[in-house]
């Protein structure tokens, strides 16, 4: 497990082999061939291949919990029990759905999880200043921030700190070490940001409002 030198939290990917993330997300490597799939906690390679592209939120949660967190698929199983993910009749995965996810994080993991259906970058900064981390809904294109943002939302990253007018965050589908633990100016981050998320803090907290997640894209 690799730890971030800025915020000391783990740097984790939603795919079992960090060195294969770029090839997997670009579609040039079959995730079912990931040689490290068993480390995810999945029961079978088929289960891993079906779900790993949808578990950015669980990876953010796992990083927020620290080095003693359950495995990625143990967290997935818990979230499923609370309805934070659903699978429809066609086999399509829907989620992360924020309200049941926050309930799961509070009731089973002891976190103070609060849903923010409407959130600004300035409000994220304020939450960070109180010691919280923020699972923020961004476009997965944030892994290539040198390119214009192709949209907003569809992926979750864990914002852990700020340095002046820059956010430090961990990206579960970052394609390199530099994009997994990285910083961006708030003005650039905002172009990818969908204006919603979930903030996390230690201890049990108050109830959250209804909300829906960022979606399944890696």
């Amino acid at each position: 497990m690799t730890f971030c030198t800025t915020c000391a939290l783990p740097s984790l990917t939603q795919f079992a082999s960090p060195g294969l993330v770029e090839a997997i997300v670009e579609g040039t490597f079959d995730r079912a061939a990931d040689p490290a799939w068993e480390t995810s906690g999945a029961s079978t390679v088929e289960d891993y291949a079906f779900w790993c592209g949808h578990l950015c939120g669980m990876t953010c949660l796992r990083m927020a919990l620290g080095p003693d967190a359950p495995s990625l698929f143990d967290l997935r199983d818990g979230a499923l029990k609370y309805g934070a993910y659903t699978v429809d009749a066609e086999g399509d995965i829907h989620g992360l759905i924020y309200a049941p996810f926050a309930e799961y994080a509070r009731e089973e993991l002891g976190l103070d999880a609060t849903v923010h259906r409407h959130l600004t970058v300035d409000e994220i900064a304020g939450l960070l200043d109180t010691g919280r981390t923020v699972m923020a809904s961004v476009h997965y294109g944030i892994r290539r921030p040198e390119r214009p943002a192709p949209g907003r939302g569809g992926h979750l990253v864990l914002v852990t700190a700020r340095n002046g007018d820059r956010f430090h965050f961990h990206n579960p589908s970052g394609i390199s070490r530099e994009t997994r633990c990285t910083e961006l100016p708030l003005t650039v981050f905002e172009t990818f940001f969908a204006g919603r998320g979930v903030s996390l803090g230690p201890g049990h907290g108050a109830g959250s409002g209804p909300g829906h997640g960022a979606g399944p894209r890696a």
Side-chain angles (χ1 to χ4, degrees):
M1 185 177 290
T2 301
F3 292 87
C4 177
T5 57
T6 297
C7 65
L9 289 178
S11 172
L12 302 172
T13 64
Q14 64 196 86
F15 304 102
S17 296
L20 293 174
V21 172
E22 182 172 17
I24 290 173
V25 299
E26 296 296 339
T28 61
F29 185 88
D30 182 359
R31 63 191 66 184
D34 190 329
W37 71 268
E38 288 180 287
T39 64
S40 69
S43 58
T44 66
V45 69
E46 291 80 13
D47 190 32
Y48 168 78
F50 181 63
W51 276 93
C52 62
H54 300 261
L55 295 181
C56 51
M58 291 301 99
T59 307
C60 288
L61 175 61
R62 192 166 178 240
M63 290 188 283
L65 288 168
D68 297 324
S71 76
L72 183 62
F73 275 72
D74 282 343
L75 293 174
R76 186 279 314 262
D77 290 344
L80 273 171
K81 290 177 183 177
Y82 276 75
Y85 294 102
T86 61
V87 182
D88 65 25
E90 286 71 42
D92 293 325
I93 297 170
H94 301 277
L96 187 68
I97 304 171
Y98 288 170
F101 164 74
E103 182 182 7
Y104 166 55
R106 289 193 302 270
E107 297 300 322
E108 301 294 335
L109 302 170
L111 292 175
D112 174 4
T114 302
V115 173
H116 302 272
R117 289 188 294 160
H118 305 286
L119 192 61
T120 67
V121 290
D122 287 339
E123 288 169 338
I124 291 177
L127 291 165
L128 296 173
D129 289 346
T130 67
R132 299 176 75 80
T133 58
V134 180
M135 292 170 52
S137 175
V138 299
H139 193 278
Y140 63 84
I142 202 168
R143 67 172 72 105
R144 299 187 189 276
E146 72 280 2
R147 301 178 181 177
R152 298 172 186 262
H155 179 56
L156 287 162
V157 298
L158 183 69
V159 188
T160 65
R162 70 162 171 149
N163 179 15
D165 64 350
R166 301 175 69 86
F167 281 155
H168 176 82
F169 63 94
H170 291 198
N171 185 353
S173 68
I175 56 177
S176 65
R177 183 184 297 270
E178 293 74 23
T179 60
R180 288 172 203 138
C181 293
T182 190
E183 290 188 1
L184 284 178
L186 274 63
T187 53
V188 176
F189 185 91
E190 188 173 26
T191 65
F192 295 90
F193 179 47
R196 58 182 179 266
V198 180
S199 66
L200 302 172
H204 289 279
S208 65
H212 287 78
R217 294 292 297 274

